[in-house]
Amino acid sequence: MNDGEDKSMTYSLFSGNGAFNYSFKLNSGQTLNGSCGTFSNFEIGKRSIFLISDNKVIYSAQGERVICEVFNP
């Protein structure tokens, strides 16, 4: 991923409750791993987005915006 790129995902209605685990490999070769954001059963139409911008991993969903990680390039 390049700075400014985002990725979206879908998941099962019966996924239980938890947090997203992420692993992003940047075009520079650096890998970012962590856990951020939340999900629960029956979240119909929820759109979860992870964005890499300004050396941060940002999670956004349904008006919630969280900085998951700040990294050095």
Side-chain angles (χ1 to χ4, degrees):
M1 291 178 59
N2 286 314
D3 189 31
E5 279 189 89
D6 64 40
K7 298 291 180 190
S8 59
M9 67 190 84
T10 59
Y11 49 91
S12 169
L13 287 177
F14 307 106
S15 56
N17 298 328
F20 295 103
N21 294 317
Y22 64 85
S23 179
F24 298 118
K25 184 167 185 179
L26 306 181
N27 288 340
S28 67
Q30 184 176 10
T31 301
L32 307 173
N33 297 300
S35 180
C36 196
T38 60
F39 59 84
S40 60
N41 279 329
F42 303 107
E43 289 185 309
I44 298 171
K46 180 176 182 178
R47 183 169 184 206
S48 300
I49 298 172
F50 283 88
L51 171 70
I52 308 295
S53 181
D54 298 324
N55 300 328
K56 297 179 188 96
V57 177
I58 302 166
Y59 167 79
S60 178
Q62 308 302 96
E64 174 187 16
R65 190 173 177 105
V66 177
I67 296 174
C68 305
E69 175 180 355
V70 177
F71 62 92
N72 295 316

